[in-house]
Amino acid sequence: MSRDKTSTYEGFTAEERAAMKEHAEQTKKEARRGSRADKAAEAARDVLAKIAEMPDSDRIMAERVHAVVTANAPTLAPKLWYGMPAYALDGKVVCFFQSADKFKARYATLGFNDLAQLDEGTMWATSFALTEVTAEVEARIAALVRQAVG
């Protein structure tokens, strides 16, 4: 597959650069924290604070996703990942919520990394667009999260 020679790579968007900077700052902050329990409690507070900063449409969805994930996969620890709420197992992110506002997208995203056990044959979804979190969507998220942690 050839690349159009008239197009040029313009690098990362401002939003992507900001997310990478936020990730670097969060990594440094995590390294400075005290005991494991202190780290977990502070990380959970950071996630809730980040959710509270979101515009209403994203905040409402993120709060509901957070509640569903923490209720259905208590082994996952909340943490910030590239400035977004994420849920990790042994420090490795299993799933995350990405605000529509942060990347100027038309929908928020619930994503799963390769650690998630969502395998379904030879092809399966690893991210889902969210425009509203209804009771039906909550049930689907709960099932996905339970499957992700096996």
Side-chain angles (χ1 to χ4, degrees), residues 6 17 19 32 39 44 54 62 81 100 105 108 112 122 125 143 145-146 148:
T6 60
R17 285 191 303 276
R32 291 189 303 265
K39 288 179 183 184
M54 293 178 184
W81 190 56
F112 292 86
T122 58
V145 168
R146 285 191 303 270

Side-chain angles (χ1 to χ4, degrees), residues 2 4 16 24 29 34 45 63-64 69 88 91 119 130 135 137 141:
S2 67
D4 179 3
E16 290 168 331
K29 185 177 180 181
R45 282 191 300 272
E63 287 172 346
R64 292 182 76 183
V69 171
D119 305 39
L130 295 172
V137 170
I141 291 170

Side-chain angles (χ1 to χ4, degrees), residues 74-139:
T75 58
L76 295 180
K79 69 182 274 177
L80 289 179
W81 190 56
Y82 294 99
M84 290 285 105
Y87 305 88
L89 184 62
D90 298 326
K92 296 179 182 175
V93 173
V94 174
C95 62
F96 58 91
F97 176 87
Q98 184 175 310
S99 155
D101 183 68
K102 182 164 182 119
F103 294 102
K104 297 176 179 49
R106 68 181 179 93
Y107 52 81
T109 303
L110 174 64
F112 292 86
N113 286 336
D114 61 345
L115 188 60
Q117 301 296 312
L118 299 181
D119 305 39
E120 189 176 293
T122 58
M123 182 177 156
W124 57 90
T126 60
S127 64
F128 301 84
L130 295 172
T131 57
E132 183 180 6
V133 179
T134 62
E136 181 181 331
V137 170
E138 282 184 0

Side-chain angles (χ1 to χ4, degrees), residues 29 42-54 59 80 85:
K29 185 177 180 181
E42 193 168 337
R45 282 191 300 272
D46 289 347
V47 166
L48 293 173
K50 184 58 73 173
I51 290 171
E53 293 172 3
M54 293 178 184
R59 181 186 50 75
L80 289 179

